[in-house]
Amino acid sequence: MFAPAARLASKRLLEIRQLFRQSPQARSFSTALNYHIDSPDNNPDAPWEFSDVNKEKAKEILSHYPSNYKQSAVIPLLDLAQQQHGGWLPVSAMNAVAKVIEVAPIRVYEVATFYSMFNRTKVGKYHLLVCGTTPCMIRGSREIEEALLNYLGVKRNEVTKDGMFSVGEMECMGCCVNAPMITVADYTKGSEGYTYNYYEDVTPKRVVEIVEMLRRGEKPPVGTQNPQRIRCGPEGGNTTLLSEPKPPPCRDLDAC
Amino acid sequence: MGLGLLALRASRSLALNRLPRAFAYQNPSNNAIIRGIVSTPELQNPEAAAAVQQPEPAPELPPRKPVAGARVHFTNPDDAIEVFVDGYPVKVPKGMTVLQACEIAGVDIPRFCYHSRLSVAGNCRMCLVEVEKSPKPVASCAMPALPGMKIKTDTPIAKKAREGVMEFLLMNHPLDCPICDQGGECDLQDQSMAFGSDRGRFTEMKRSVVDKNLGPLVKTVMTRCIQCTRCVRFATEVAGVQDLGILGRGSGEEIGTYVEKLMTSELSGNVIDICPVGALTSKPFAFKARNWELKGTESIDVTDAVGSNIRIDSRGPEVLRITPRLNEDINEEWISDKTRFFYDGLKRQRLNDPMIRGPDGRFKAVTWRDALAVVAEVLHQVKAEEIVGVAGKLSDAESMMALKDLLNKMGSNNIWCEGNGSDPQADLRSGFLLNSSIAGLEKADVFLLVGTQPRVEAAMVNARIRKTVRATQAKVGYIGPPTDINYDHQHLGTGTQTLLEIAEGRHPFCSALLHAKNPAIIVGAGLFEHKDKDAMFSAVETIAKLGKVVRPDWNGLNVLLLNAAQSAALDLGLVPESGNSVESAKFLYLMGADDVDLDKVASDAFVVYQGHHGDRSVYRANVILPASAFSEKEGTYENTEGCSQETLPAVPIVGDARDDWKIIRALSEVAGIRLPYDTLGAVRTRIRTVAPNLLHLDEREPSAISSVAVKPQFSQKVSIAPFGAAVENFYMTDSITRASKIMAQCTAQLLK
């Protein structure tokens, strides 16, 4: 009577062991910490203000919303603040936004922590975001991230020593047809020259080339990096839908 | 052993099956156990679930009772709609949610995020029910009931939905119930027993969350949090401090303050009660006791004049915690942090034995007989007008009655209660009560706060004003020193000058008062101590006449008292004969009075201190008579709106102490002027002859006539003086709170 029970027990024990043998990274969270830790360049006492140009912009943004719904402007204003501050939001910038839209600071923190595009820790001048969602992952986004990290010698969300680059992960950016892809957020020119470009159909070799070009101050061509493709069209030209599309039968009354 | 367990399970489920199904729903209080052991593995697959579903028995069951006394209030009879809950027709007003309709029908819907006093969030999904013709289960807390809706709460779909939600909630919830302080009173625990599955399928690592520091009162174990956001909504909506928020997203979501910040609200302790899990628990109560070991005693809070309804949880001789009781008219279901956490003061600095100060200036413990003999001897040696009695902030009506009778028998009428000033107006009850009642403040549309900071003087009244301001955008004008008010208000001025400007109609706020439908003026009892108080009150009454504040259907002229004893003292006529009696006193009887200015007392005066704590007055006392605290005696207290309530003994009396009225009764016997009562009932019979309203427990006795109509006009000149703050430190206002370590921590950390 005990034999089956013992067998069952040992099997279960094995299963449990198997569980513990799994890598500790069973669930990874791409977002940064959800609380603030004071540091010399990020603390509530550090002064922060919109620049004069951006004050005008903020006024313009606020004019889009009714005066009693100023809080609606929280996301565009945070974005503006992030561009002004070199790609990330110190806690004092969030406080400044809270003051502009007249809400409690915590309401701004809630929004800033919710969206992964708001960086609450320092990023490089070029913030490279690798898409990690399923289609890109199947097409090799992990290798691309690895190549970037190896080339730059940093970990994820870490800034290179010269402050030029940082690598982060981003969820689907709607470019699955040209997977895998990375995005480069360029904070070198402040909020005026801010760009956010897609580099699609990349390979581990090509991303390194892109990074080298960026470092040299060149502008790598945006969009697909596969010379055989035109935007999101198939490699080597179209293979289907070559003729003129037929009009919908119900509309074309003569055809029916 | 395994077989034994199996047999036990089998017999249990057998016993259960024999129970009629209706029984489980007839008694919502004890069905938790019955539901708890019903596991529903057969519902794991839908075909079997459909097969299990039995044909509906004919509805011959008796009508069900609403859950927890839920009441329906139809403001407009045309708005009633009929819905069917499990086949029962119920009439509910338009705009009610499905969950509320189910409650009225007597079906308790499980929920985590829904709270009747907070806004609806609808994010826990535990309250899913089936609605006929709806393609999927609906979240009943957020779905308005529609006419003819057929709601089903007991179908396989609803049960399966709950079970699924429960499984998701438990995915990331740690299995630390044995070391969790919420264990035994945890919504998650109860509901997972009642509605959850008996196993989960989650085998990954659970997440963990960093604990937050919210101050000395609330302990956080954030890994246990299920993100119901009740605490966030409470802090934002009721407490009025926007400190808490939901940070992050998805499985990384957590509750926090983002930056290191303590929760500096006077109501922060309530998040402990509304937290459905053990994420927010009481820091002072942590690991002290299990809730099933505690004896609950329904009592009254005495730290302010609101008289919040509380339950004192004790084990043996020790008060372990204080929780609120529901009273819609007074404190709803909240209490202030002072009320909740001052209980540890009941254990410290207590007076155990009668003591006499020897010639060397040190106290020596003596027997009651000796102590009373000494007091009685001195009592007979002094002249009648040199006898003075002061009742303390925490005195109950019975002991004040006894003290007044004793002093009157000795020929003195120099007796008053702390906080009422030297010349209180006790003739007309409307002159010292919160006439519009605490719940009635919700009808007001303009508030004028004169020399009162309700946030620190009466936190529950402040919560009511805030509720009104939030709901109806009522205007609030405030006259007094700059203070932190947690709702929109206008700071009109700091003192008498502004008051006179309004009385003379020269102030812009006058138009708001004149156009208000139900204006409410709240005067702080701190003004009682002011030397120009009569002139100030006549100015307030002028404003009241101006703004039609007092009408037959609305009395908005309010006084907000500070202490639990004040209104009962005024009802009993504790009014001193002369203004400077303390200075001329040769025999001073302090019944728990610790805020008397003892520097004024003559050096040869004989001071008797009768009380429960070795506080300020003990340093000057010649004799100490130990008395019982409010948690140890039966006593009547009248709150600021004139509602009499009763405390009940929760723990035994400390040491050789006695109830206040008994000490006075014994002293009268020793002094040879026996008071004619031997029991509490007899004391109350005596009170009936003086102030019968004090005996109508839990009933608010409104004042019969308003003081505005009958009072003569004062023409006294008013000095232009700013009002002071009546309460300097919210956390320490009386002898018990001053002895409390928790309150000292709060003072140190939160009042920075």
Side-chain angles (χ1 to χ4, degrees), chain A residues 43-86:
Chain A
N43 62 70
D45 303 324
W48 199 96
E49 236 183 290
F50 279 115
S51 65
D52 289 337
V53 182
N54 283 350
K55 263 185 195 150
E56 286 304 309
K57 275 193 188 172
K59 210 176 271 172
E60 204 270 325
I61 290 167
L62 280 172
S63 71
H64 296 185
Y65 306 97
S67 56
N68 53 336
Y69 285 102
K70 275 187 179 172
Q71 63 264 40
S72 307
V74 62
I75 292 176
L77 285 181
L78 278 174
D79 186 39
L80 189 65
Q82 173 161 301
Q83 289 168 17
Q84 182 186 323
H85 200 77

Side-chain angles (χ1 to χ4, degrees), chain B residues 19 46 144 233 239 255 266 374 396 453 633 695 717 720 730:
Chain B
L19 279 171
R233 283 175 284 146
I255 303 288
E266 73 285 357
V374 169
D396 53 318
Q453 294 95 41
K633 67 181 170 193
L695 299 177
K717 270 274 177 219
I720 306 299
F730 167 68

Side-chain angles (χ1 to χ4, degrees), chain B residues 234-243 265 267 455 466 486-487:
Chain B
F234 176 83
T236 314
E237 291 161 20
V238 180
V241 288
Q242 301 213 12
D243 287 343
S265 165
L267 300 175
R455 195 168 177 192
R466 183 180 153 75
N486 56 359
Y487 34 83

Side-chain angles (χ1 to χ4, degrees), chain B residues 195-407:
Chain B
F195 307 104
S197 169
D198 57 351
R199 69 207 70 187
R201 288 167 288 183
F202 183 71
T203 51
E204 317 263 313
M205 295 286 281
K206 288 184 189 260
R207 70 163 194 165
S208 57
V209 182
V210 177
D211 290 346
K212 311 292 185 292
N213 180 12
L214 293 183
L217 302 176
V218 182
K219 180 188 163 190
T220 59
V221 185
M222 295 317 275
T223 306
R224 294 181 189 142
C225 177
I226 57 167
Q227 281 83 38
C228 70
T229 70
R230 273 189 191 179
C231 51
V232 177
R233 283 175 284 146
F234 176 83
T236 314
E237 291 161 20
V238 180
V241 288
Q242 301 213 12
D243 287 343
L244 288 176
I246 317 140
L247 305 169
R249 69 191 296 180
S251 55
E253 186 173 285
E254 57 186 84
I255 303 288
T257 50
Y258 194 68
V259 288
E260 178 88 25
K261 198 173 187 185
L262 306 183
M263 205 174 161
T264 53
S265 165
E266 73 285 357
L267 300 175
S268 66
N270 292 303
V271 298
I272 296 164
D273 287 335
I274 57 169
C275 184
V277 294
L280 305 174
T281 51
S282 165
K283 212 172 232 176
F285 181 64
F287 308 131
K288 288 284 191 311
R290 281 304 194 178
N291 74 311
W292 56 83
E293 303 166 341
L294 302 174
K295 183 188 82 170
T297 311
E298 307 209 325
S299 191
I300 297 301
D301 166 43
V302 296
T303 55
D304 56 28
V306 178
S308 302
N309 288 213
I310 55 171
R311 197 184 73 219
I312 302 177
D313 281 345
S314 58
R315 184 178 56 187
E318 209 181 346
V319 175
L320 283 170
R321 69 169 177 185
I322 288 175
T323 47
R325 270 193 294 141
L326 179 74
N327 188 329
E328 295 286 358
D329 296 330
I330 297 172
N331 58 325
E332 298 183 278
E333 60 184 86
W334 320 120
I335 50 173
S336 71
D337 282 357
K338 180 165 63 171
T339 310
R340 188 184 294 266
F341 292 111
F342 79 116
Y343 59 86
D344 74 323
L346 291 167
K347 294 187 289 204
R348 292 192 175 80
Q349 295 276 92
R350 286 302 295 266
L351 302 172
N352 292 344
D353 294 297
M355 282 184 269
I356 299 177
R357 197 189 285 274
D360 57 346
R362 301 184 80 81
F363 279 114
K364 202 169 141 254
V366 294
T367 59
W368 272 108
R369 192 179 293 275
D370 294 346
L372 291 177
V374 169
V375 176
E377 201 188 319
V378 181
L379 193 57
H380 281 295
Q381 281 167 4
V382 294
K383 276 184 262 166
E385 61 272 18
E386 289 168 347
I387 301 175
V388 171
V390 186
K393 290 175 170 176
L394 310 177
S395 308
D396 53 318
E398 286 84 355
S399 52
M400 286 192 285
M401 187 77 258
L403 184 63
K404 183 170 161 62
D405 282 350
L406 176 80
L407 261 63

Side-chain angles (χ1 to χ4, degrees), chain B residues 70-127:
Chain B
R71 276 174 290 177
V72 218
H73 177 67
F74 293 94
T75 39
N76 182 0
D78 300 337
D79 277 349
I81 53 172
E82 196 176 45
V83 296
F84 299 89
V85 179
D86 293 340
Y88 288 93
V90 216
K91 278 219 157 57
V92 295
K94 218 184 237 168
M96 253 193 177
T97 60
V98 172
L99 190 142
Q100 284 167 318
C102 290
E103 261 178 6
I104 289 159
V107 180
D108 200 1
I109 305 288
R111 86 284 304 261
F112 293 111
C113 71
Y114 176 80
H115 193 281
S116 53
R117 274 165 231 283
L118 304 174
S119 63
V120 172
N123 53 3
C124 76
R125 318 307 292 180
M126 192 62 198
C127 60

